[in-house]
Every structure is written in structure tokens, then in C-alpha cells.
Amino acid sequence: MPALRFVVSGRVQGVGFRYATRRMAEQLNLSGWVANRPNGEVEALARGEAAHLARFEAWLWSGPDSASVSEVKVETAPADSDSADTDTDTADFRIRV
């Protein structure tokens, strides 16, 4: 399955962005993870059907109501790109701490 890495900038930390992202990913039947980055961005890796990934990307541009997204960077990720998170079960979407 295709995998994409997203980096979301703007007011995206402290507004429930990771939790809303997980809910959206689960609704779209995507697997992967989402995490805050030290620089204030949010990073996500999502795997699933191309159409669902496109809907996920479109949603990231708005996020939850309390967020203000200024940019979403997207790049293709290798299928095994969870290597930094060895306890991630690829059958679900997790929030990384």
C-alpha cells in the first residue's frame, strides 16, 4: 500500500491536532502515526488506499476547528518507514509521544 509522510505547519500544537488526525485516519481506514515535532510542526505517516490518502491530505489543510494550518508538505515514504517506531502495529493509526 502507498505510504505518505506529511509535515503540517501553523498553529497545530496544543489544539488537539494529533487526536483529530488519528480520528480522521481511522475513519479513512489508514494506518500509521502522528506526532508533534520539537519545532512546533506536526508530522504524520499514513498508509492506505491512494484515494483515502488524498482525502487525508485535504483534511490536514484544515485540521480541527481550533487549528490554523499554513502549510502541508507531502512526500512519498517507503513502505517500511516505521523503522523508528518499532512498537507500531501497522493495522492501526497511533499517536506517538
Side-chain angles (χ1 to χ4, degrees), residues 3-26:
L4 295 175
R5 180 178 165 268
F6 303 90
V7 177
V8 185
S9 303
R11 189 167 54 96
V12 293
Q13 287 193 16
V15 295
F17 202 95
R18 291 176 301 155
Y19 298 94
T21 299
R22 180 179 61 188
R23 280 192 302 275
M24 179 55 62
E26 289 172 346

Side-chain angles (χ1 to χ4, degrees), residues 11-82:
R11 189 167 54 96
V12 293
Q13 287 193 16
V15 295
F17 202 95
R18 291 176 301 155
Y19 298 94
T21 299
R22 180 179 61 188
R23 280 192 302 275
M24 179 55 62
E26 289 172 346
Q27 288 175 14
L28 295 171
N29 202 30
L30 300 174
S31 62
W33 52 263
V34 61
N36 284 339
R37 296 177 81 182
N39 66 357
E41 296 172 326
V42 169
E43 180 178 5
L45 181 120
R47 240 180 258 94
E49 295 180 24
H52 293 174
L53 289 169
R55 287 183 57 200
F56 184 67
E57 180 182 352
W59 179 86
L60 288 173
W61 275 99
S62 58
D65 291 339
S66 52
S68 177
V69 176
S70 59
E71 183 177 22
V72 178
K73 297 176 189 170
V74 184
E75 63 183 42
T76 302
D80 64 348
S81 44
D82 268 334

